[in-house]
Amino acid sequence: MPKIHLPEPGRPQVLIEPEGEGAILEVEPARIVELFKAHGALLLRGFGADVPQFRAFARQFCATSVFNESPGRQPIDPTHNIHTVDKGTGPFNLHPELSREPWKPDAAFFGCLSAPSRGGATIICDGVELVREMPEEVRRGLEGRRLLYVKPTWPELLRFWLGTPDPSDAQLADPPSWCPYKFRRIEGDVVRYFSRPALHRPMFVDAPAFGNFLLFARFNNQRPDFPLLDDGRPVPEAWLQAIKATGDRLSVPIAWQPGDVLMLDNTRFMHGRTAIIDPGERLIATFFGYLSFAHPDPEEPPDAPWRRGDFYPPLPPPGLG
């Protein structure tokens, strides 16, 4: 039986360690599911997981996966959607993985294949706790509001979702039921868009959470206009600064050890990283998937393609996202 250390102040993740020389695949899956539902963040340490074990562990829980087209990722086991993290060195602000798209994964898995001697910690933050701790005026301002994600299109994307690279206005107005976007023609260009609540309910917690692309867009991409509030205006800068300050205060670093596996509820926890000192030392595997025991977001379309099989969205041309 593994040693299980439940969360405590300053450590929001469950820590699971082997008793003796146990392997990660010997940990009872039902116990993992129970702990994941209750706490949302699990760190399995001391099992010495390699790439095949990391893959098998994640696939125990995920029926399907998604290819993350973010730039800078390198393949590790591309057949099974396992890639590195972004190979840059700068710090990353808090975000749920792929929260800029309507197919935000249920779970994010990270596996440490090579640990940095200094720097390069992954930081995690419970989005439910962030809502509890953010200034009351910001929380009131976000309650009942939605975030609007507006993005460009290109011919292959339109073909993928609408069946044609040059849709008519009637086709734009009536996409297939499984398509997660709405479309609009603006000054001759077709844009896609979707919206989500500014404060949402995670899969397994009946409490509001903050988990979206706002902090990464503003403080990494320097974009105050993506996503927008539901009235088309940017989220006020004072709100963003207050949310960032709260998230920074609540964030906890995971100082990687070789063989670590981190499993996050991507609907509840956000993650980021501290600056990487030596990128040659740090090798982190990633897998982003959809859980076989998920409670899908009720705003997902019926028969969502990412829950039918491993999902590979159309790749944007260079310079467009």
Side-chain angles (χ1 to χ4, degrees):
M1 291 291 292
K3 295 182 286 186
I4 296 174
H5 311 276
L6 295 180
E8 59 186 32
R11 179 172 55 78
Q13 73 274 18
V14 177
L15 176 62
I16 304 174
E17 298 176 299
E19 187 75 63
E21 297 185 359
I24 195 168
L25 296 177
E26 295 174 359
V27 182
E28 177 58 44
R31 184 64 168 137
I32 294 289
V33 171
E34 176 188 6
L35 292 167
F36 182 85
K37 288 181 174 180
H39 304 287
L42 312 181
L43 176 63
L44 294 99
R45 169 162 286 171
F47 295 94
D50 58 14
V51 173
Q53 292 167 334
F54 175 72
R55 178 185 68 238
F57 178 79
R59 285 287 184 176
Q60 288 184 110
F61 309 105
C62 291
T64 60
S65 66
V66 61
F67 174 69
N68 186 336
E69 80 282 12
S70 301
R73 296 177 183 270
Q74 301 298 317
I76 295 177
D77 181 358
T79 302
H80 298 99
N81 259 340
I82 296 175
H83 296 76
T84 67
V85 295
D86 177 279
K87 298 295 284 186
T89 59
F92 275 1
N93 280 274
L94 293 169
H95 61 288
E97 198 63 38
L98 285 170
S99 52
R100 65 182 184 275
E101 293 288 3
W103 49 81
K104 182 171 77 172
D106 300 332
F109 296 80
F110 302 90
C112 181
L113 305 179
S114 177
S117 58
R118 56 197 179 102
T122 290
I123 58 174
I124 63 172
C125 179
D126 185 345
V128 172
E129 189 67 17
L130 198 156
V131 171
R132 294 189 185 120
E133 294 292 322
M134 70 173 55
E136 183 179 356
E137 62 271 20
V138 177
R139 184 171 60 252
R140 287 201 311 265
L142 293 174
E143 287 174 347
R145 301 297 299 273
R146 296 181 69 86
L147 299 176
L148 180 64
Y149 296 79
V150 182
K151 305 186 76 173
T153 63
W154 57 93
E156 285 308 309
L157 179 137
L158 293 170
R159 188 194 304 274
F160 184 90
W161 293 111
L162 300 177
T164 174
D166 186 24
S168 66
D169 288 345
Q171 289 170 314
L172 293 177
D174 188 26
S177 62
W178 46 266
C179 176
Y181 295 117
K182 295 181 180 179
F183 298 89
R184 186 174 179 182
R185 202 183 305 274
I186 300 177
E187 297 181 355
D189 294 324
V190 176
V191 299
R192 56 188 159 128
Y193 61 97
F194 74 98
S195 75
R196 290 291 185 270
L199 303 179
H200 69 282
R201 286 295 198 277
M203 284 184 293
F204 305 116
V205 180
D206 188 20
F210 181 91
N212 51 61
F213 202 60
L214 276 172
L215 297 180
F216 196 92
R218 168 63 185 85
F219 297 104
N220 278 90
N221 295 348
Q222 307 303 315
R223 286 197 57 181
D225 61 340
F226 180 83
L228 298 166
L229 285 171
D230 41 26
D231 59 5
R233 299 178 182 180
V235 175
E237 180 68 17
W239 294 8
L240 292 171
Q241 294 290 345
I243 295 166
K244 182 181 187 305
T246 306
D248 289 348
R249 175 168 56 83
L250 296 175
S251 292
V252 172
I254 305 294
W256 289 112
Q257 296 182 15
D260 281 354
V261 172
L262 178 65
M263 180 181 180
L264 295 179
D265 180 342
N266 199 48
T267 72
R268 173 175 173 178
F269 270 80
M270 296 181 289
H271 65 275
R273 75 180 184 208
T274 63
I276 296 172
I277 308 302
D278 182 353
E281 290 185 325
R282 187 181 194 265
L283 182 58
I284 307 297
T286 65
F287 176 89
F288 307 114
Y290 302 93
L291 298 168
S292 56
F293 56 92
H295 298 162
D297 186 337
E299 301 207 14
E300 282 188 12
D303 197 25
W306 47 92
R307 296 192 186 272
R308 286 187 240 142
D310 287 347
F311 183 56
Y312 295 84
L315 296 180
L320 188 68

